[in-house]
Structure formats: C-alpha cells, structure tokens
Amino acid sequence: METRKQIAVAKKQSGCNCAQAVLCTYADIAGIDDETAMRLAAPFGTGMGNMEGTCGAITGAGLVLGLSSASTRQMRQIMNKFQERNGATQCKLLKGVGTGEVLRECSDCVADAAEFLEEQIG
C-alpha cells in the first residue's frame, strides 16, 4: 500500500506543482475536493513570488493544517524540521538560484513536507 508521502511525490511527478501535490494528497483531511485543492494551491507552486518565497511543498502543508484547524505551533515545527533537513525553506535557495548549489529537488521537498505534516496530524 502506498503511503501518502509516496502519493504526494507521484502527484508532483505527474504534473502538480509542489503545493498542489501536498494539498491534493491530504484533501480529505483538509475537508475539500481535489478540484478545489488544485485551484487553491495553484498560486503557491514555484515558491510564492516565483521562487522568491517559501517552498510550495511547505505552503501546501500549511494549507492542510489551516483547513484542518491545526495550530501555528504545528506549522512552525514543520518549518523547523524542513530547514534543519534541507538547509533552507525558500524555493530559490533550495533550487540553487544565485548560488548554483541545489540543496533539494522538488520531489524530495514534497516528500519531506508530507513526512513532517504526517507527524503533526498523525
């Protein structure tokens, strides 16, 4: 049986942006349908502001938390763990824009966000 983490990665690899991949995987927990999840998360792919902001996978996890009435503390824990594992939470830094050093591929960011989200909603 596939885990949600694996499902999220497969969604990313099949064309969803990072935020969509996470939110759609947890749409049932968020209390929304897939179409709504796709539309809601669409602007958050490629980091908010076109790689200038927070990684879309983290944003997708935050949307799930918000829609499932979780706390700010839980989001902070996801952010901290993501930063610790990957060295950044900003899309352009993760992708090596300006540095030439890719810290993490998108599918891995999606997997990490799903893993850390699972720990919070588990």
Side-chain angles (χ1 to χ4, degrees):
M1 182 170 133
E2 273 188 313
T3 65
R4 285 191 192 245
K5 180 176 170 178
Q6 292 166 324
I7 293 167
V9 170
K11 286 182 182 296
K12 172 60 187 162
Q13 292 171 340
S14 68
C16 287
N17 72 37
C18 296
Q20 289 170 327
V22 174
L23 182 56
C24 288
T25 299
Y26 295 90
D28 61 320
I29 290 170
I32 58 176
D33 59 67
D34 284 348
E35 183 180 337
T36 301
M38 288 292 285
R39 287 195 325 261
L40 184 62
F44 300 107
T46 322
M48 287 184 271
N50 196 22
M51 297 186 93
E52 293 297 323
T54 302
C55 165
I58 298 171
T59 304
L63 290 167
V64 173
L65 286 176
L67 290 166
S68 64
S69 65
S71 72
T72 302
R73 179 188 57 77
Q74 289 173 301
M75 188 67 228
R76 189 67 178 145
Q77 289 177 349
I78 290 172
M79 293 283 292
N80 287 340
K81 286 183 176 194
F82 194 95
Q83 172 72 37
E84 185 178 303
R85 180 174 289 172
N86 299 305
T89 59
Q90 189 178 12
C91 184
K92 76 177 184 180
L93 297 175
L94 291 161
K95 299 294 121 225
V97 175
T99 66
E101 179 187 353
V102 176
L103 300 177
R104 199 79 162 146
E105 296 297 333
C106 290
S107 290
D108 294 326
C109 289
V110 167
D112 292 343
E115 176 184 333
F116 301 143
L117 177 59
E118 287 279 336
E119 291 172 1
Q120 297 305 312
I121 62 175

